[in-house]
Amino acid sequence: MPAESVLPIPSDVDFPAAATLLMNALTARLGLDLLGVPAGGTVAVTGAAGAFGGYAVQLAKSDGLRVLADASPSDTQLVAGFGADEVVRRGDDVADRFRALAPAGVNGVLDGAMLHEPVLPAIRDGGGIAVLRGWDGPVERAIQVHPVWVNSAATDHARLRRLREQAEAGELTLRVAGVLPAAQAPEAHRRLAGGGLRGRLVLDFTAW
């Protein structure tokens, strides 16, 4: 492991919770940095109840942005608790609900739900969308697509250290969806593929 990728765990956080922090929070941080929305701008987050989405909402608020987010009815309170200014019902037509709250369009979208084309109408001309897993369009109206690859910043110690500081300060919420022995990795994958997790599954290798 490169030394630049290693940090002490935040104070008063156990190992499973600490293990949930860096990959998803760093992915969200990179997405925001690629969008480059100035303080006071507006972003929308899809998949806001998930691990990436929750961090995206909290980091965007810490950047001084107005945050619109989507959620199922059962997750509305959870997402509002992350600090989202407005929470709308999720779904393929979520762009219309975002536009109702930001008639000129949002500056950028952090697309944790990987909706891609259906969410583009929420974005103003010349805005951007931060995407996971390499989607590259098509887009129009000069919207920019920003693929996010977390490995590109795996040794960015300054970014990682800042995320640790924010977690220690309570600005980022570490959520453990469950801890399984490493031998149960197939079960963890089944749960992940089934969706609906609110946090991260953690594999415990101490008894491997």
Side-chain angles (χ1 to χ4, degrees):
M1 175 75 69
E4 294 84 359
S5 300
V6 180
L7 297 162
I9 66 174
S11 301
D12 301 320
V13 171
D14 61 17
F15 279 105
T20 69
L21 172 63
L22 289 182
M23 187 180 78
N24 290 107
L26 182 58
T27 303
R29 181 69 267 163
L30 289 174
L32 282 163
D33 291 347
L34 288 167
L35 290 174
V37 178
T42 301
V43 294
V45 179
T46 68
F52 165 84
Y55 287 132
V57 171
Q58 292 183 312
L59 288 168
K61 287 303 299 178
S62 74
D63 288 353
L65 303 179
R66 180 190 180 208
V67 180
L68 313 181
D70 73 349
S72 66
S74 61
D75 286 327
T76 297
Q77 186 172 2
L78 172 69
V79 173
F82 295 146
D85 295 285
E86 302 280 355
V87 182
V88 303
R89 189 178 75 253
R90 71 180 186 180
D92 287 344
D93 57 350
V94 71
D96 294 335
R97 289 186 280 280
F98 286 146
R99 270 282 182 171
L101 297 170
V106 300
N107 297 90
V109 169
L110 294 134
D111 192 18
M114 292 177 284
L115 297 178
H116 303 148
E117 288 183 79
V119 80
L120 294 179
I123 304 170
R124 65 180 56 187
D125 294 0
I129 179 171
V131 299
L132 313 179
R133 302 186 186 177
W135 184 77
D136 60 0
V139 294
E140 54 188 21
R141 298 186 291 111
I143 291 172
Q144 298 183 56
V145 179
H146 301 283
V148 182
W149 302 105
V150 69
N151 287 345
S152 68
T155 56
D156 189 333
H157 195 74
R159 271 198 179 111
L160 297 175
R161 186 175 63 249
R162 177 59 183 148
L163 293 171
R164 177 197 177 274
E165 291 169 352
Q166 289 180 285
E168 190 165 85
E171 296 175 23
L172 298 177
T173 302
L174 310 184
R175 294 181 291 154
V176 178
V179 180
L180 289 79
Q184 293 185 23
E187 173 61 19
H189 280 284
R190 282 190 288 270
R191 292 190 193 179
L192 185 62
L197 293 175
R198 297 299 173 253
R200 296 299 293 176
L201 291 170
V202 177
L203 296 178
D204 182 356
F205 285 84
T206 58
W208 184 256

